[in-house]
Amino acid sequence: MSRTGAEALVECLKKQNVDIVFGYPGGVLLGIYDTLFDADILHVLPRHEQGGVHAADGYARATGKVGVCFGTSGPGATNLVTGIANAYMDSVPLVAFTGQVPTALIGGDAFQEADIIGITRPIVKHSYLVQNVDDLPRVINEAFYIASTGRPGPVVIDLPKDVVAGKTKTKCSGKIDLPGYNPTYEGHPLQIKKLLKELSEAKKPVIYAGGGVIISGATEELVKLSEKIGLPVVNSFLGLGGFPSAHENYVGWLGMHGNFASNMAMTETDFILAIGTRFSDRSTGRLDGFAPNAKIAHIDIDPASISKIVDIDIPVVGDCKKVLKQMEEYLDKFNWEKNAESRKGWLKKIRAWNSERPFSYKKSDKVIKPQFVVEEICRLTDGEAIIATEVGQNQMWAGQFYKFKHPRQFISSGGLGTMGFGFPAAIGAKLGRPDKHVFDIAGDGSFLMNMQEICTAVQYRVGVKVAILNNKFLGMIRQWQHLFYNKRYSYSCLECQPDFVKLADAYGCVGLIAEKPSEVADVIAESLKIEDKPVLMDFRVDREENVYPMVPAGAALNEMIYGE
């Protein structure tokens, strides 16, 4: 039986077990929206396409499923671009449907025409311009497969209006035939044995675990390996939650605002076992000072990530979870007792570093310290909440002072550093995980970039909580101007901003304010009672608090500064 392209699309989405889509309608998508009107799929209408794609991103990170979003032709599609780039940088599975003018008009500068395939080509895992409605079921099937397999990432499907309206009898078969696309999941046994031999010879080894551990669901295997051999574990920023922070072998996270022990451990180690991480510049610091005496083994499903930034001695291409399981099979073939005492001494030294210089700040009973707000959120949620962040100081304080227990608990724009990401991502995360408290830890500047999504949260009764660390500055910009531009705060001051409590009232949600440290806990506790609407919390924090420690740009990891 024939049906329209729009009907086939919705049928294929249901075949892919899609339960939520985030989209903004437009002229060329009206056929799809007419079909969605009767579909058993929740469609969430954001107030801006950027909010929609970030919400789909947050949903994907919190659930492990593929996020789905829609934008119409022209500006609707281009408004998705930042979110697509964000998902690409952080390896988030996403399928973005964009509207396009009819095929006969493509290339003719028609109304609301934009070459979204060309625009997004550098920031997608793959893209399709569908020119025949009969191809649509196969394309959707392939898109979900590509987005969610190998190294996950965004896939764009561009839909001309006549394809949406055309008729097809092609079924959504679910079969995949992509002979040129074969991600490698199993690690090569010889490379794994070579890795284990070098690891057994190491006296000061470190596991460096990234977001790939979370994506592949490898936490259990990682903990087993760490405990079996006595290996300290350092996380990348996006790896937070991939190893329980309360574990005795946990060191912390490294990089520009990572902790002292992690940065020192990576500087002094003689062997790094990197798992599912891409050695970002913010993690490594100055490359010629990064792990100068270490051999490095790297497990990653993306062969292009290996030796891209840092030279790797032992590459192992494969899925983190599967390779760690393979390693388990060979562990007993190596002599772990030989250097056991050295590794114990190494762990002891790292723990001493952590005791000597943990994350800390000067406490106050007069002014609210932003770190204190994060600590209180952690305490009052027992470390069980999902934490999304905006970008800037708020992001770093969230990483430093919330103690993450589980994978998929920390949602942040790590690669692209997208201001305005956190709030819509938190909405998506809450829709995907309604059983969890979900916070957006925000700066006032970043929150203002997508605050229109309050309407979305109110309309869909999303009980997300926004903790605004309000310092009336673009905080990280001000910090850099403080440290490196002689306190010349050029255009980083946000003196004009809304009254967030009145703003919340205007949108029909709850607004709370804390101006003294003694009010912080009560405000957070009050927010936890509200689950049927968003809560905006305005914490008036110390305006010139800085994030420390800090590895300045161009410095090595062990060249941290600690402020005044």
Side-chain angles (χ1 to χ4, degrees):
M1 187 176 76
S2 67
R3 67 271 202 244
T4 65
E7 291 167 338
L9 183 151
V10 173
E11 180 185 319
C12 291
L13 291 182
K14 293 173 73 173
K15 192 95 175 176
Q16 294 290 338
N17 296 315
V18 173
D19 53 1
I20 300 179
V21 300
F22 302 86
Y24 206 99
V28 302
L29 295 182
L30 285 180
I32 294 173
Y33 273 79
D34 189 60
T35 307
L36 279 171
F37 195 65
D38 298 319
D40 186 21
I41 295 174
L42 174 62
H43 178 279
V44 175
L45 176 68
R47 295 307 185 265
H48 190 289
E49 288 89 349
Q50 187 185 356
V53 65
H54 289 328
D57 182 316
Y59 170 87
R61 296 196 207 210
T63 63
K65 301 177 183 176
V66 176
V68 180
C69 62
F70 286 83
T72 193
S73 59
T78 57
N79 282 343
L80 295 176
V81 170
T82 298
I84 292 170
N86 192 80
Y88 181 76
M89 292 284 280
D90 289 352
S91 306
V92 178
L94 191 76
V95 174
F97 291 91
T98 52
Q100 187 54 274
V101 300
T103 51
L105 298 182
I106 291 176
D109 294 335
F111 176 68
Q112 288 195 334
E113 181 187 3
D115 176 13
I116 197 64
I117 297 296
I119 291 169
T120 59
R121 196 178 301 282
I123 53 169
V124 295
K125 191 171 175 185
H126 196 65
S127 56
Y128 295 90
L129 169 60
V130 185
Q131 299 185 70
N132 186 325
V133 65
D134 289 336
D135 294 336
L136 190 53
R138 172 186 59 80
V139 164
I140 293 172
N141 198 29
E142 290 177 1
F144 275 80
Y145 180 72
I146 292 170
S148 59
T149 55
R151 177 178 174 175
V155 176
V156 166
I157 301 177
D158 202 23
L159 300 167
K161 186 173 183 178
D162 53 319
V163 170
V164 172
K167 292 291 186 85
T168 182
K169 294 181 179 179
T170 308
K171 295 181 180 178
C172 301
S173 69
K175 293 180 181 176
I176 295 293
D177 182 19
L178 290 171
Y181 176 71
N182 292 300
T184 300
Y185 288 92
E186 302 283 347
H188 195 290
L190 291 180
Q191 289 297 93
I192 291 173
K193 291 174 184 174
K194 185 177 178 182
L195 182 164
L196 288 170
K197 182 175 186 309
E198 293 290 344
L199 182 57
S200 69
E201 297 290 335
K203 297 179 178 177
K204 297 192 290 185
V206 169
I207 292 177
Y208 171 31
V213 169
I214 296 170
I215 291 168
S216 71
T219 293
E220 183 181 337
E221 288 75 15
L222 178 61
V223 171
K224 276 186 188 176
L225 178 67
S226 169
E227 291 177 347
K228 173 87 175 177
I229 307 176
L231 296 174
V233 177
V234 169
N235 274 140
S236 71
F237 185 65
L238 287 185
L240 288 172
F243 192 85
S245 61
H247 195 286
E248 61 179 358
N249 290 351
Y250 183 63
V251 184
W253 56 283
L254 84 164
M256 181 171 282
H257 293 294
N259 64 322
F260 176 77
S262 295
N263 287 343
M264 292 304 297
M266 293 299 272
T267 302
E268 293 196 11
T269 180
D270 62 357
F271 188 86
I272 295 172
L273 172 54
I275 308 173
T277 187
R278 61 183 179 86
F279 295 90
S280 77
D281 56 316
R282 279 205 159 189
S283 292
T284 63
R286 194 179 73 241
L287 278 178
D288 61 9
F290 177 73
N293 303 311
K295 288 187 177 180
I296 305 177
H298 188 186
I299 301 168
D300 203 289
I301 200 164
D302 179 11
S305 290
I306 293 178
S307 290
K308 183 176 183 179
I309 307 295
V310 172
D311 290 337
I312 301 301
D313 299 291
I314 308 171
V316 182
V317 177
D319 173 74
C320 298
K321 186 182 182 78
K322 288 185 180 295
V323 173
L324 286 171
K325 279 184 173 295
Q326 288 178 273
M327 289 173 66
E328 280 182 37
E329 297 173 14
Y330 299 121
L331 277 183
D332 291 339
K333 298 183 183 301
F334 294 86
N335 180 7
W336 301 106
E337 293 302 318
K338 179 181 173 184
N339 290 314
E341 287 305 312
S342 297
R343 288 196 300 276
K344 285 180 183 175
W346 173 234
L347 261 175
K348 187 176 178 183
K349 184 175 184 179
I350 289 173
R351 287 169 185 157
W353 277 333
N354 252 333
S355 298
E356 178 188 341
R357 283 192 164 174
F359 287 129
S360 64
Y361 62 95
K362 292 180 182 176
K363 294 182 172 27
S364 171
D365 58 2
K366 294 185 171 54
V367 62
I368 298 175
K369 294 289 185 173
Q371 302 95 326
F372 175 64
V373 177
V374 178
E375 284 181 327
E376 286 295 274
I377 292 173
C378 186
R379 182 178 69 83
L380 291 166
T381 58
D382 194 26
E384 294 286 348
I386 291 175
I387 302 295
T389 79
E390 302 293 343
V391 166
Q393 289 181 311
N394 60 85
Q395 182 184 30
M396 298 302 134
W397 284 318
Q400 290 181 341
F401 291 95
Y402 199 93
K403 306 305 178 190
F404 296 96
K405 297 179 177 179
H406 312 293
R408 303 197 178 282
Q409 201 184 352
F410 182 57
I411 295 173
S412 191
S413 174
L416 196 63
T418 307
M419 290 180 68
F421 167 79
F423 180 44
I427 293 172
K430 182 64 178 177
L431 284 165
R433 292 297 308 274
D435 55 315
K436 305 287 284 187
H437 287 304
V438 178
F439 281 76
D440 171 32
I441 293 181
D444 43 316
S446 199
F447 176 70
L448 288 171
M449 283 200 166
N450 270 319
M451 69 174 186
Q452 76 283 348
E453 301 307 333
I454 301 172
C455 266
T456 309
V458 170
Q459 179 172 335
Y460 295 91
R461 305 174 72 82
V462 183
V464 65
K465 297 137 192 13
V466 184
I468 303 170
L469 307 178
N470 185 356
N471 57 14
K472 293 190 176 182
F473 270 119
L474 299 174
M476 192 60 88
I477 299 297
R478 186 209 56 74
Q479 176 168 334
W480 281 57
Q481 290 171 332
H482 174 170
L483 296 174
F484 309 119
Y485 292 89
N486 198 28
K487 292 191 177 182
R488 287 162 52 83
Y489 298 153
S490 178
Y491 304 107
S492 56
C493 181
L494 299 175
E495 283 296 343
C496 178
Q497 61 177 204
D499 179 324
F500 288 108
V501 174
K502 289 182 178 176
L503 182 76
D505 186 55
Y507 275 105
C509 63
V510 177
L512 303 168
I513 185 168
E515 297 181 289
K516 297 183 291 189
S518 59
E519 298 169 342
V520 169
D522 288 345
V523 164
I524 297 168
E526 184 63 24
S527 80
L528 294 174
K529 299 175 185 173
I530 301 164
E531 276 297 300
D532 61 346
K533 61 183 72 172
V535 182
L536 304 189
M537 291 170 278
D538 182 359
F539 296 101
R540 300 295 177 91
V541 301
D542 189 339
R543 294 198 69 199
E544 298 195 51
E545 185 73 8
N546 287 337
V547 183
Y548 292 118
M550 178 181 186
V551 178
L557 288 180
N558 62 342
E559 297 170 347
M560 293 161 274
I561 59 175
Y562 290 88
E564 300 81 3

